[in-house]
Amino acid sequence: MTKVNQNVSRRSFMQLSGGAAAASALIGLPTIARGAGKDVVIVGGGPAGATAARYLRMIDPSVKVTLIEANATYHTCFMSNEVIGDLRTMESISTTYDGLKSAGVNVVQDMVTSIDTKAKKVMTKGGNTYSYERCIVAPGIDFKYELTDGYDAKTAETITHAWKAGPQTATLAKQVKAMDDGGVVCIVAPPNPFRCPPGPYERASLIANYMKKHKPKSKVIIFDSKDKFSKQGLFTQAWKKFYGFGTDNAMIEWMPAAKLGKINAIHAKDMVVETDFEQLKAAVINFIPAQKAGKIAFAAGLTDKSGWCPVKKLTFESSMVPNVHVLGDASIATKMPKSGYSANSQGKWVAQAVVALLNGKQPGVPSFVNTCYSRAADDWAFSVAAVYKLNMEKNLIGGVKGAGGLSPMDASAEDRKREVAYGHSWYNNIKKDIWG
Amino acid sequence: MLRIKSIPAALAVGVLAIFTSINTASAEMASVQTLASPCAGCHGVNGVSVGPATPSIAGLTEAYFLDSMATYKSGKRKGTIMSRIAKGYTDEETKAMAKLFASMKFGRTTQMSDAGLAAKGKELHAEFCDSCHEQDGRKADGIGVLGGQIAAYLDYTIADFYSGVRTMEKRKAQKMNAFKAEHGADGIKAVVQFYASQK
Ligand SMILES: Cc1cc2nc3c(=O)[nH]c(=O)nc-3n(C[C@H](O)[C@H](O)[C@H](O)COP(=O)(O)OP(=O)(O)OC[C@H]3O[C@@H](n4cnc5c(N)ncnc54)[C@H](O)[C@@H]3O)c2cc1C
């Protein structure tokens, strides 16, 4: 194991290599001229980490940014329900880190295994050590597999959660396509708080949208760990309009926790979901487990009893550990939901705050936006939006009163259709904003 | 360990127009960069949308921007979502953003367009629209940018003018109505193609 400090290695590289070729390869690198102590190490290249990286470089090119991400390719969860509903390809939801590299971010493909928050060092599986002045931890989520009998990371390869986009997204899409007409897809929706509150219901909608065209005798049954859910009125309205919700021929059924009791076990061999009061045999099971912050947050001592990371609301600096900022799904951002847009908006603000702190300045006043589009049928989408401000006295990030909210229940069919196109615009624009 | 080699030398890229001016932190109000940077999620990096529908907002004049935000806020101008967003900002915050976006360049995203229709649209534009939407619709003074704006947004907006969802002042209404009476849906398609074809 060679544990080399990046700074040291970088300097010694320059001293040793004096040759013209090596020197010219370095020309223009602001890292050479940078002052000491402007090293930021980012753990995780999802919307939160990647946005922070890009914006740090844009705001202050003298900051040296290293982003450590486990995978070479990132698949966005946003729009992954369209893949499952046969409306787009896996390719279209993937992105590389080339855009970050050309913005001057040192992108390292490796897995962070621990963070020594006293010595301010990040350690990786590959055996490397990276020193930081400020560290940004944005690892997303992990699953509480331990709560359900018969379900673990291995089982999830066939009975998917598909709640981190990637191979499981493709598997679930394939299973739905391969299913015989007349089959049942069971989606188990998780308890709060979880990533993308409207996500399970959008997924149910887009699977039903696919079935309506190709397998009209099939249906989706949602087993919910809750008694109500995000955008419920808008989803229910759409389900009635398109999928016979509430009738004998419903293509979507929703079973609340009150009717199911606790969801206890998955019987993978028999394809059965077992709850206190129900047993359901399904052709395809999509089990979305209860969630907690990504593993590294636990290893680094950033989590509290809730399983998420408490942060100071102004800077998203951990309340547990100094000089480490936690953002995106892993953090407790009070009223901001765990969404890609929240993660992106937090990434921009934290980049500004970290630059201020590195330069010995006050971070100023934050402002955030979140919007989440949900598509319920080919020409039918709706959204929830909010503008967030920090309330210092109450220590909470809350929506500005009178602003934000849901698409109206009585919006025209034309507006619902426009929201499909605006949702796609959001996707294209935010993807570019995050990964370049 | 010499990962430095993997960093491309061309690092001049990536200076975001939003952040080119100094971020003036204040104890009371968020800086204009802080306020405006989240708009990029929908309107694109630097306010330049890649589509397929959300409009670009960089380069809109201050007056037009302010009028748009004020009418979204009051509910006079309808949209799918902007009323909900515009209400999140004070007048002072909105004014600061208007200045910032007005100082940025309207960027044109390459869009698919039909050359034949665009040529016809150019003539129709000259006859019916150019008196107000000058320079092929590229001049934004008080009226928004048409030349190079995202096509679907123009389609929606023109439909809203005709349906009365968005109001028009009298002279514009006269021209728009005459245009529709003479050239119908094909004429509308052609002018939109003309705007979309502009680079
Ligand atoms: C089906 C579905 C639909 C969704 N739709 C929307 C939507 O329409 N709009 C919206 O705004 N949001 C949506 N979301 C939510 C959105 O995907 C998440 O909120 C967002 O991805 C959170 O970003 P993040 O950066 O915090 O975490 P992640 O996206 O999970 O990124 C974390 C990254 O860190 C890496 N990582 C973790 N640990 C380590 C480690 N130890 N070392 C190195 N790398 C590590 C991971 O590989 C990963 O790339 C949806 C989610 C789902 C599941």
Side-chain angles (χ1 to χ4, degrees), chain A residues 44 46-48 69-70 74 77 112 138-140 163 195-196 328-329 339-341 426:
Chain A
E69 161 59 48
Y74 182 89
C77 284
V112 174
W163 220 243
R195 156 179 290 181
C196 193
D329 285 358
S339 76
Y341 205 145
W426 166 81

Side-chain angles (χ1 to χ4, degrees), chain A residues 6 10 29-30 55 58 102 104 128 130 341 348 352 365 369 383 389 402-407 418 421-422 425-426 428-429, chain B residues 1 3-4 11 13-14 23 26-27 30 34 37-38 41-42 44 49-54 80 84 87-89 93 156 160:
Chain A
Q6 272 264 298
R10 206 160 269 197
L29 280 179
Y55 276 73
M58 286 168 185
S102 54
N128 292 319
Y130 300 87
Y341 205 145
K348 289 175 190 177
Q352 293 165 72
V365 177
V369 170
S383 55
K389 294 277 156 74
L406 296 161
S407 304
R418 286 183 189 179
Y422 284 137
S425 300
W426 166 81
N428 295 342
N429 281 320
Chain B
M1 253 331 282
R3 288 164 204 282
I4 197 156
L11 282 169
V13 287
N23 195 338
S26 117
T34 302
S37 62
C42 289
S49 173
V50 295
T54 313
T80 54
R84 288 179 271 158
K87 286 176 189 156
Y89 301 93
E93 290 172 331
Y156 300 160
D160 286 350

Side-chain angles (χ1 to χ4, degrees), chain B residues 14-79:
Chain B
V15 179
L16 181 71
I18 281 190
F19 284 102
T20 46
S21 45
I22 301 303
N23 195 338
T24 43
S26 117
E28 299 86 37
M29 191 176 120
S31 76
V32 67
Q33 290 87 354
T34 302
L35 293 166
S37 62
C39 311
C42 289
H43 288 290
V45 180
N46 289 332
V48 178
S49 173
V50 295
T54 313
S56 293
I57 55 170
L60 296 180
T61 57
E62 249 179 282
Y64 179 73
F65 185 102
L66 286 172
D67 186 60
S68 297
M69 294 295 270
T71 48
Y72 280 134
K73 224 171 166 172
S74 72
K76 178 169 171 255
R77 183 167 167 192
K78 305 224 166 16

Side-chain angles (χ1 to χ4, degrees), chain A residues 367-402:
Chain A
S367 177
F368 306 94
V369 170
N370 176 60
T371 300
C372 181
Y373 285 99
S374 297
R375 187 174 182 187
D378 282 346
D379 291 330
W380 199 269
F382 35 78
S383 55
V384 63
V387 175
Y388 295 94
K389 294 277 156 74
L390 171 65
N391 183 327
M392 279 293 227
E393 280 127 60
K394 291 190 185 154
N395 190 35
L396 73 79
I397 298 171
V400 174
K401 276 221 175 70

Side-chain angles (χ1 to χ4, degrees), chain A residues 43-50 68-71 74 76-81 84 97 110-113 138-141 162-165 195-196 199-200 202-203 294-296 327-330 338-343 370-374 426 430:
Chain A
V43 183
I68 309 171
E69 161 59 48
N71 302 308
Y74 182 89
T76 60
C77 284
F78 21 120
M79 293 298 159
S80 70
N81 285 333
I84 293 160
Y97 289 94
D110 204 343
M111 173 72 90
V112 174
T113 46
I141 57 161
W163 220 243
K164 289 185 185 181
R195 156 179 290 181
C196 193
E202 179 186 63
R203 179 170 290 177
K295 201 168 163 194
I296 187 67
L327 50 155
D329 285 358
K338 298 187 189 304
S339 76
Y341 205 145
S342 293
N370 176 60
T371 300
C372 181
Y373 285 99
S374 297
W426 166 81
I430 205 164

Side-chain angles (χ1 to χ4, degrees), chain A residues 239-252:
Chain A
W239 293 348
K240 283 183 182 153
K241 184 172 168 66
F242 296 102
Y243 312 119
F245 186 70
T247 69
D248 290 344
N249 299 319
M251 296 187 76
I252 295 180

